[in-house]
């Protein structure tokens, strides 16, 4: 992703180097070419109770004239908590227009996590705890509150595969049967991906089909589990169909929740059997 001018490019490089030096292993380069990064933030360095993964994409105009594109990923982050935190980040950007702000964002998030950790009713969430609560409420009914995704998130995917991607293997693509409804035809395509580069490869392969390339709306969503950060790298595209990609991502989040609940019940049944 080429920067708009050499000065802006150098400012991005300097900021990335500084963040990597400050945060060490917590700073992760997801896709250097596309300037996608994430950082795991906790309320403390050792055995944090509250954690959150900040995923950012740096546009070519950042920091001079455009903000980072970001997602906040945490199993506990929803509703009012999400709104308040995003408002705080956007306020920091507005107050520091034209400046590098990622360090300010990270430390603001850490401040919020520390406040939660210090509150009397905050014991610290975990995926296991959330899943157990779902099991107790209703063993067959699962739901996840949808976390909003930035409307302009990653709409700059380059479908031309570069030389650096040639060593990536194109995953198998399964094609669903076309469904017609009210003079519109819908067809689903599914592929198991483990990196953003594979996402681009799958999209590029699909767009080789003229019918797909000329479709009115090509929506998509993906979720990639990052084991070292214990969070998901995720994104979606509406392609002009309002919130369609977001709804698709929501379904994928729900499916993850159901799988977690299923695994939890299996572990419980196993413990009962052992006793």
């Amino acid at each position: 992703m080429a920067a708009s001018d050499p000065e802006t490019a150098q400012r991005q490089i300097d900021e990335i180097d500084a963040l990597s030096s400050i945060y060490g292993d917590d700073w992760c380069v997801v896709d250097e070419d596309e300037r996608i990064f994430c950082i795991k933030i906790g309320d403390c360095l050792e055995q944090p109770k509250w954690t959150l993964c900040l995923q950012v994409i740096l546009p070519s105009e950042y920091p001079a004239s455009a903000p980072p594109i970001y997602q906040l990923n945490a199993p506990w982050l929803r509703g009012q908590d999400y709104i308040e935190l995003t408002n705080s980040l956007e306020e920091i950007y507005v107050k520091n227009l034209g400046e590098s702000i990622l360090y300010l964002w990270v430390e603001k998030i850490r401040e919020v996590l520390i406040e939660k950790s210090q509150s009397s009713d905050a014991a610290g969430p975990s995926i296991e705890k959330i899943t157990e609560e779902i099991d107790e409420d209703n063993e067959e009914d699962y739901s996840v509150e949808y976390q909003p995704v930035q409307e302009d998130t990653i709409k700059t995917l380059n479908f031309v595969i570069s030389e650096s991607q040639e060593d990536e293997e194109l995953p198998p693509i399964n094609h669903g049967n076309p469904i017609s409804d009210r003079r519109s035809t819908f067809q689903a395509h599914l592929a198991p991906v483990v990196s953003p580069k594979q996402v681009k490869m799958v999209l590029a392969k699909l767009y080789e089909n003229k019918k797909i390339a000329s479709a009115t709306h090509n929506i998509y969503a993906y979720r990639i589990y990052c084991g070292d950060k214990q969070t998901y790298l995720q994104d979606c595209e509406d392609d002009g169909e309002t919130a369609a990609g977001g709804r698709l991502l929501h379904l994928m989040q729900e499916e993850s929740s159901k799988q977690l609940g299923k695994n939890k019940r299996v572990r419980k049944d196993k413990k009962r059997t052992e006793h």
Side-chain angles (χ1 to χ4, degrees), residues 91-103:
E91 183 179 350
I92 289 173
Y93 171 72
V94 171
K95 288 182 177 180
N96 297 273
L97 290 174
E99 301 296 327
S100 301
I101 60 168
L102 292 184
Y103 176 80

Side-chain angles (χ1 to χ4, degrees):
M1 183 183 294
S4 57
D5 61 73
E7 181 181 355
T8 300
Q10 188 60 49
R11 291 178 66 187
Q12 279 197 19
I13 293 171
D14 291 344
E15 183 176 20
I16 292 167
D17 289 344
L19 293 169
S20 177
S21 177
I22 293 170
Y23 299 113
D25 292 339
D26 287 335
W27 175 260
C28 175
V29 179
V30 178
D31 189 324
E32 188 171 6
D33 293 336
E34 295 292 337
R35 288 285 194 265
I36 305 176
F37 307 92
C38 71
I39 177 170
K40 185 177 180 181
I41 309 166
D43 58 335
C44 65
L45 295 178
E46 295 183 3
Q47 297 182 336
K49 294 181 180 179
W50 293 80
T51 61
L52 182 149
C53 182
L54 170 66
Q55 177 190 326
V56 295
I57 305 158
L58 303 183
S60 59
E61 300 85 4
Y62 172 81
S65 59
I69 299 167
Y70 70 93
Q71 286 183 193
L72 302 169
N73 298 322
W76 56 268
L77 186 63
R78 56 185 68 187
Q80 192 61 31
D81 284 336
Y82 184 95
I83 294 172
E84 290 178 359
L85 186 50
T86 55
N87 286 344
S88 295
L89 299 187
E90 288 163 12
E91 183 179 350
I92 289 173
Y93 171 72
V94 171
K95 288 182 177 180
N96 297 273
L97 290 174
E99 301 296 327
S100 301
I101 60 168
L102 292 184
Y103 176 80
L104 297 177
W105 275 10
V106 171
E107 293 309 309
K108 178 59 182 180
I109 293 171
R110 194 184 309 282
E111 177 185 319
V112 171
L113 297 179
I114 291 173
E115 289 176 357
K116 284 189 169 295
S117 178
Q118 293 175 343
S119 64
S120 59
D121 60 344
S126 66
I127 293 177
E128 289 80 6
K129 180 179 178 182
I130 292 173
T131 305
E132 186 173 0
E133 290 173 352
I134 293 173
D135 287 343
E136 292 174 354
D137 290 340
N138 190 329
E139 290 193 358
E140 300 300 329
D141 185 23
Y142 299 91
S143 65
V144 174
E145 184 170 344
Y146 174 57
Q147 296 180 12
V149 177
Q150 293 291 100
E151 291 184 359
D152 54 352
T153 299
I154 316 184
K155 293 185 178 178
T156 57
L157 280 173
N158 181 0
F159 300 136
V160 179
I161 307 303
S162 65
E163 293 181 2
S164 63
Q165 294 172 265
E166 290 179 354
D167 57 346
E168 291 274 356
E169 182 179 352
L170 177 69
I173 304 175
N174 297 313
H175 307 280
N177 295 323
I179 300 174
S180 296
D181 180 45
R182 286 172 291 185
R183 293 187 296 180
S184 293
T185 301
F186 306 88
Q187 185 177 21
H189 311 277
L190 177 68
V193 295
V194 296
S195 71
K197 289 183 179 179
Q198 282 194 331
V199 174
K200 291 188 291 183
M201 293 177 71
V202 169
L203 292 171
K205 184 65 177 179
L206 290 173
Y207 278 128
E208 290 178 4
N209 184 308
K210 292 182 179 180
K211 288 186 177 180
I212 295 176
S214 61
T216 306
H217 304 291
N218 280 310
I219 68 170
Y220 67 82
Y222 68 84
R223 301 189 84 209
I224 300 171
Y225 183 67
C226 303
D228 56 338
K229 303 296 179 184
Q230 295 186 346
T231 188
Y232 285 92
L233 174 64
Q234 59 186 25
D235 189 30
C236 61
E237 169 62 60
D238 295 334
D239 193 26
E241 185 70 15
T242 304
R247 293 191 183 100
L248 181 58
L249 181 58
H250 185 199
L251 290 174
M252 298 172 72
Q253 291 170 333
E254 278 194 322
E255 189 61 31
S256 295
S257 177
K258 289 179 181 179
Q259 188 61 44
L260 284 170
K262 180 180 178 181
N263 293 341
K264 185 70 174 182
R265 288 201 303 274
V266 169
R267 288 196 296 269
K268 284 183 176 180
D269 292 342
K270 184 177 179 181
K271 286 181 179 179
R272 294 193 189 103
T273 303
E274 291 174 348
H275 286 93

